Amino acid sequence: MIRINNSRVLLTLWLTTTSFIAFADSPAWNNAVNKPPANWQGPTFKLSDQYPTEIPEACPKTTCPWLNIDLFPESKEVDFSDAGIPNWSKEPKYKEYITSILDYIKQGQSRDLNNEQGLIVDVNGQTRWFHIPWMAYAQETGREFVHGLTNERTAHLSDFYGVGGPSDGEGRGFETWAVGMYNDIGAYTIGQSFDKDGQPVLETVNGITSTKGMPFKEGTVVVKFLFSSVTPTDVDYLKGSPKWQSNRHKETSDNFDKCSRTIQDVHLVQVDVAVVDSRSPTRWVYGTYAYINKGGATVWDNLQPLAFSGAWTLGHSPQYQNLNPLLRVKACSTKALRSLSTLVAKTA
């Protein structure tokens, strides 16, 4: 459903009077496109932007266990035919890799990912998760004030059920609202990349001009939680999916009024992840989990690994994927891919 982008993300720095410096008033650092009403009693999003200022140490294998799982064949060659699709039951390392990332993400979070607590940025007394700036700039699609969700593509029933399943035609469809976070290792790069006014900071190293702080360090984890106006009544496998409030576009009989917002519910449908793993030729590995009710004890137990992708061919770059099959999508479940075709992670 949603594209995970491998491009360099321009991000920023917040400093306090001790090891940080206060930023100037800039729209880059706005929490949301509009403020909650005076009588609002629900959750209110606050930008997590006190980014680390010191180069992070290597992520211990006990903290980032996926870095200790060998996915990358020495030959760096991949069979891109159907015969090259891995057998997940015989090669559990792929599922182990993507599952260990989710185990890291869920640390310190509520079991039910409830609306009141939302996403918790502090884990074990330290800030683990950070947001990027400039996401509250666009009035139509920018961050809403409850959970900091931004508006993304509109989906239809065919996106949830695939070809041959129920369809709502090309009607109003369902809005997608999402929020992403970077862990503390990735946040260091975010903090180096923008100045106090939210403008990108560039530097030239060895004759190459780039955003300061790049590339993202190994151990960087990026996660995006995607919610939809779809309900379990519309899509039965979403039963038990976390229901959040969001200040999203008003629904009309046949469309969405993008100039007007009101508090309405959304349900979790998908979680996308991206990690930096230096063993990958592109340094990035991507994964997607879909919420599919399997009767798990917690919300996290019902997040099913759906797809996994990375570049296994040495010397190629994702920018050429339209010309070459550079990225092998490692499907965790062929059945899930058939029924949830558009939830497979994509790369730029």
Side-chain angles (χ1 to χ4, degrees):
M1 177 185 291
I2 301 300
R3 180 179 294 272
I4 307 179
N5 203 319
N6 187 29
S7 61
R8 294 185 171 188
V9 183
L10 300 179
L11 310 161
T12 181
L13 172 65
W14 172 278
L15 302 175
T16 65
T17 53
T18 54
S19 57
F20 299 92
I21 300 172
F23 276 142
D25 184 17
S26 165
W29 315 109
N30 288 347
N31 293 315
V33 295
N34 49 19
K35 296 180 180 180
N39 62 349
W40 174 246
Q41 300 293 318
T44 303
F45 175 78
K46 185 180 186 304
L47 194 70
S48 176
D49 57 3
Q50 297 191 30
Y51 310 121
T53 58
E54 297 183 1
I55 298 176
E57 297 180 358
C59 187
K61 300 297 172 66
T62 52
T63 304
C64 300
W66 56 90
L67 296 176
N68 206 34
I69 300 172
D70 187 14
L71 289 180
F72 306 92
E74 292 182 4
S75 67
K76 303 292 185 183
E77 295 297 331
V78 175
D79 180 359
F80 286 100
S81 70
D82 289 344
I85 297 176
N87 185 321
W88 282 78
S89 61
K90 295 181 179 179
E91 299 178 271
K93 61 183 180 179
Y94 297 109
K95 186 173 182 178
E96 182 184 354
Y97 189 102
I98 192 173
T99 300
S100 68
I101 299 171
L102 188 65
D103 289 340
Y104 170 87
I105 292 168
K106 72 182 183 183
Q107 292 172 12
Q109 305 298 326
S110 63
R111 288 166 55 89
D112 58 355
L113 207 59
N114 61 76
N115 176 70
E116 289 71 25
Q117 291 177 285
L119 293 170
I120 300 169
V121 298
D122 294 332
V123 178
N124 297 327
Q126 294 184 327
T127 303
R128 172 175 289 185
W129 298 107
F130 301 81
H131 307 110
I132 64 173
W134 286 114
M135 298 300 287
Y137 184 76
Q139 290 298 306
E140 282 191 13
T141 59
R143 280 190 176 119
E144 51 84 42
F145 65 75
V146 185
H147 291 291
L149 306 175
T150 58
N151 183 220
E152 302 198 3
R153 71 178 288 266
T154 297
H156 294 271
L157 281 181
S158 57
D159 292 324
F160 295 98
Y161 285 106
V163 178
S167 173
D168 57 355
E170 294 300 321
R172 181 181 64 191
F174 307 99
E175 283 200 317
T176 303
W177 290 80
V179 59
M181 305 187 298
Y182 285 70
N183 71 345
D184 51 343
I185 297 177
Y188 165 77
T189 299
I190 297 172
Q192 297 297 304
S193 298
F194 278 98
D195 65 18
K196 61 185 177 62
D197 295 318
Q199 299 303 309
V201 178
L202 303 179
E203 64 178 0
T204 300
V205 179
N206 297 327
I208 300 174
T209 300
S210 177
T211 312
K212 187 178 179 181
M214 292 292 179
F216 284 98
K217 314 302 179 189
E218 184 168 68
T220 291
V221 177
V222 190
V223 60
K224 180 193 283 189
F225 291 80
L226 295 104
F227 291 77
S228 172
S229 59
V230 73
T231 72
T233 301
D234 303 307
V235 178
D236 55 6
Y237 61 74
L238 292 178
K239 180 181 179 182
S241 170
K243 181 172 68 173
W244 281 9
Q245 294 173 301
S246 66
N247 186 40
R248 62 181 177 86
H249 300 138
K250 286 184 178 180
E251 297 186 14
T252 65
S253 59
D254 60 352
N255 212 327
F256 296 96
D257 181 356
K258 301 221 168 176
C259 294
S260 182
R261 299 194 186 199
T262 189
I263 298 296
Q264 299 164 96
D265 293 336
V266 287
H267 285 81
L268 179 69
V269 296
Q270 178 179 332
V271 177
D272 291 339
V273 298
V275 300
V276 173
D277 187 330
S278 62
R279 299 170 298 171
S280 167
T282 64
R283 301 185 71 252
W284 288 93
V285 177
Y286 303 92
T288 287
Y289 314 83
Y291 183 92
I292 304 175
N293 191 315
K294 295 286 187 179
T298 73
V299 163
W300 305 95
D301 297 326
N302 288 328
L303 284 172
Q304 308 297 319
L306 179 66
F308 179 90
S309 67
W312 272 259
T313 305
L314 187 63
H316 286 143
S317 127
Q319 280 74 9
Y320 292 94
Q321 74 171 46
N322 291 332
L323 302 177
N324 300 285
L326 303 175
L327 300 179
R328 161 62 75 189
V329 174
K330 310 287 186 177
C332 301
S333 165
T334 6
K335 181 179 180 182
L337 281 178
R338 284 197 302 267
S339 61
L340 300 169
S341 57
T342 58
L343 293 182
V344 179
K346 299 177 181 178
T347 50

